[in-house]
Amino acid sequence: MDEPERWRHMSTAPRDGSRILVTVRPSEQGPAEVDLAYWSRADQFASEGWRASDSSPGRVIEYAEPELKCWMPLPTANLSRASMPAPWEGEDAQQLDGSGI
């Protein structure tokens, strides 16, 4: 049986352009949420950094490093908003990667 995916610290996130799930920290604009994002190199549209996967040329949605709390790989099948995991609400980053056990 496959081990369930766990949220991981952003410092371990792949920066190769692959899409991952991220927890966006809560802010004045709203509560924490899960988004699909990827690392992008600088181009004519924006600087190097994390972008929402629904970005497009001229409409780039960038995330500053502190906005993102943690990440996990995409589930292997049937990704939909209904199957998205809940945002990680833990306060202590030491709980990521199973280190809080």
Side-chain angles (χ1 to χ4, degrees):
M1 181 180 287
D2 292 331
E3 182 177 328
E5 291 295 338
R6 294 185 183 147
W7 288 108
R8 302 170 186 176
H9 196 275
M10 283 304 296
S11 64
T12 65
R15 294 180 181 227
D16 60 2
S18 57
R19 284 167 168 64
I20 59 172
L21 295 176
V22 294
T23 292
V24 181
R25 294 179 187 275
S27 68
E28 297 82 28
Q29 286 78 34
E33 64 180 14
V34 173
D35 199 3
L36 187 60
Y38 65 97
W39 181 262
S40 179
R41 295 177 191 229
D43 58 23
Q44 71 254 30
F45 303 108
S47 59
E48 180 177 68
W50 295 106
R51 295 183 187 178
S53 66
D54 53 355
S55 293
S56 59
R59 300 192 82 185
V60 176
I61 302 165
E62 292 182 282
Y63 288 116
E65 199 77 37
E67 289 181 90
L68 303 177
K69 196 171 202 174
C70 51
W71 75 281
M72 86 168 46
L74 285 174
T76 55
N78 298 329
L79 178 63
S80 70
R81 280 281 182 202
S83 67
M84 287 277 212
W88 187 70
E89 298 289 346
E91 292 295 322
D92 190 355
Q94 292 179 345
Q95 295 175 5
L96 296 172
D97 296 319
S99 58
I101 297 174

